[in-house]
Amino acid sequence: MRVLVVATPLAGHLTPLLPFAHALWDSGHEVLVACGGEALPAGGTGALPFIDVARNLRIGRLAARSLVAHPVTARAELAGRGGDAGVRSLFGPVNEELTDALVTVAEQWRPDIVLHEPLAAGGAVAAARHDVPAVLHENGLLDGLATTRVLLDSRPLQRARARHGVRGVPPPAMALTITPQSLAGPRDALAVRPGRAGAGGPLPGWLRAPSVRPRVLVLRGGGPMRGDLQASALRVVAAADDLDCELVLVRPPARLLRRGGRGVRPVGRVALSELLPACAAVLHGGSSGHVLAALGAGLPQLALPGPGDRRYNAELVDARGAGIGGAVTEDALRRLLHDGEIAAAAREVRAEIAAMPSPQSRVDIVAALI
């Protein structure tokens, strides 16, 4: 079986698909990863063959064009309230450009199945064009089926479909979800356990040793709030009279290192799966990868609402009771470190994730589609 794996060329969109792609490869199937070179994770795709289908695609240019054409939607998207309009305004044009390359790759490589993430709906168009099944693999906490439908109905993808003679795109032959059911409710998809997060260097010795004070891991975040979360955490701890904890800042900007005092320690590029068990709580910018990594470690978390899906992700965490969706405050830090109900809920979701079927266990079900 030949499987074309498709993701949009953005960091974090491809990584959640790689555990399933590796499971297919390890089972003896042929796999080709189609994405953009800039979106490759730090460790690459390993043994998996890779083709760059986004050489001429510039997300920043398309985002700027969307900001000019749809300023109200763009502002809403930056606040995490863009909804379907936000998805269409940016990822519609991205997928229009991706579709031409994906159709060509599918024509030349002849996959038996196209496996794509929700925001890479061009993969579904390529599958329909060549009459092969599409498998939708969620890479975040949003409803993947709903997101894909929104994109397929957007004007840019309608133009792409017309160019390639694709009148209609059937629903995926199968959908896979990495979202624990207790977090977002039941979905019309097969559950598959999310992969462990990230690659990096070894855990420093001081993090392997026990700490007198609870450690709070503070991730750097990305996009418009890069570094801001760490700065907020520093301010809150410095202003608190008796908040006894140690802040562990992941690759902090140099300006923050100069402000760090007692109880503030930096750490370099270390796998998140190694860092989380060494800490008592984690603060992050609300990305789905960080939410799932913290839940997989059973760690109380603060998810800062932000652009795109980050507000939605933070709200899910808060509603589940496994953490806090909101700003960094002294009260929020105290709750993360001392609220037994939050800790218990985080452990419950950890057990739920551990019980989800592995990617390897779903390979034969996908193979049966052809």
Side-chain angles (χ1 to χ4, degrees):
M1 177 176 70
R2 286 186 155 196
V3 182
L4 182 65
V5 177
V6 180
T8 50
L10 283 171
H13 283 234
L14 173 61
T15 302
L17 275 60
L18 291 179
F20 199 86
H22 281 290
L24 289 163
W25 181 267
D26 293 342
S27 298
H29 301 290
E30 293 184 67
V31 175
L32 179 61
V33 177
C35 190
E38 295 180 1
L40 276 176
T45 57
L48 301 177
F50 176 87
I51 185 168
D52 191 343
V53 291
R55 289 189 181 92
N56 299 317
L57 197 157
R58 299 291 180 268
I59 297 287
R61 173 174 56 83
L62 292 175
R65 186 184 300 172
S66 174
L67 177 63
V68 172
H70 310 284
V72 175
T73 298
R75 285 195 295 271
E77 186 69 1
L78 287 173
R81 303 185 189 279
D84 291 351
V87 169
R88 285 191 296 265
S89 66
L90 176 57
F91 289 98
V94 168
N95 274 271
E96 182 177 15
E97 294 201 21
L98 283 178
T99 298
D100 294 337
L102 291 171
V103 168
T104 299
V105 169
E107 182 177 4
Q108 295 174 350
W109 196 63
R110 296 293 178 183
D112 299 300
I113 287 174
V114 176
L115 183 145
H116 67 93
E117 51 111 342
L119 292 171
V125 177
R129 174 66 180 81
H130 296 290
D131 196 26
V132 298
V135 172
L136 174 67
H137 190 308
E138 291 182 353
N139 60 349
L141 306 179
L142 290 171
D143 185 326
L145 289 169
T147 301
T148 301
R149 284 194 296 267
V150 167
L151 274 179
L152 289 173
D153 290 339
S154 67
R155 288 185 180 179
L157 267 180
Q158 287 177 2
R159 291 194 296 265
R161 286 163 50 188
R163 281 201 303 274
H164 297 286
V166 179
R167 292 188 175 181
V169 178
M174 181 179 296
L176 301 170
T177 181
I178 61 173
T179 302
Q181 183 169 318
S182 72
L183 203 65
R187 289 183 177 170
D188 188 14
L190 294 176
V192 61
R193 188 188 312 140
R196 299 181 72 186
L203 192 69
W206 62 271
L207 271 174
R208 296 194 199 100
S211 173
V212 175
R213 293 178 295 167
R215 293 180 175 127
V216 178
L217 184 66
V218 191
L219 303 183
R220 187 172 180 176
M225 52 76 66
R226 185 178 299 278
D228 292 350
L229 181 62
Q230 294 181 339
S232 297
L234 282 172
R235 284 194 298 269
V236 168
V237 171
D241 293 329
D242 59 346
L243 187 58
D244 195 25
C245 65
E246 180 178 83
L247 294 183
V248 180
L249 308 184
V250 177
R251 296 186 295 117
R255 60 183 173 82
L256 291 187
L257 281 179
R258 292 191 293 270
R259 291 169 49 190
R262 178 179 173 272
V264 178
R265 301 192 70 169
V267 66
R269 192 180 294 276
V270 178
L272 196 53
S273 57
E274 297 290 330
L275 284 172
L276 289 170
C279 299
V282 57
L283 316 181
H284 61 79
S287 76
S288 58
H290 290 159
V291 167
L292 288 169
L295 291 173
L299 213 60
Q301 61 182 290
L302 181 142
L304 188 69
D309 63 344
R310 297 183 180 211
R311 178 173 296 278
Y312 171 78
N313 298 339
E315 290 171 351
L316 285 183
V317 168
D318 201 272
R320 179 60 180 84
I324 297 168
V328 183
T329 64
E330 182 178 344
D331 178 66
L333 285 177
R334 290 189 191 281
R335 289 180 59 204
L336 287 183
L337 294 173
H338 303 297
D339 190 320
E341 291 185 3
I342 291 179
R347 291 193 298 268
E348 288 170 5
V349 184
R350 176 181 60 188
E352 183 182 359
I353 290 174
M356 293 169 73
S358 68
Q360 191 68 51
S361 70
R362 295 301 196 191
V363 168
D364 288 345
I365 299 175
V366 171
L369 295 173
I370 62 174

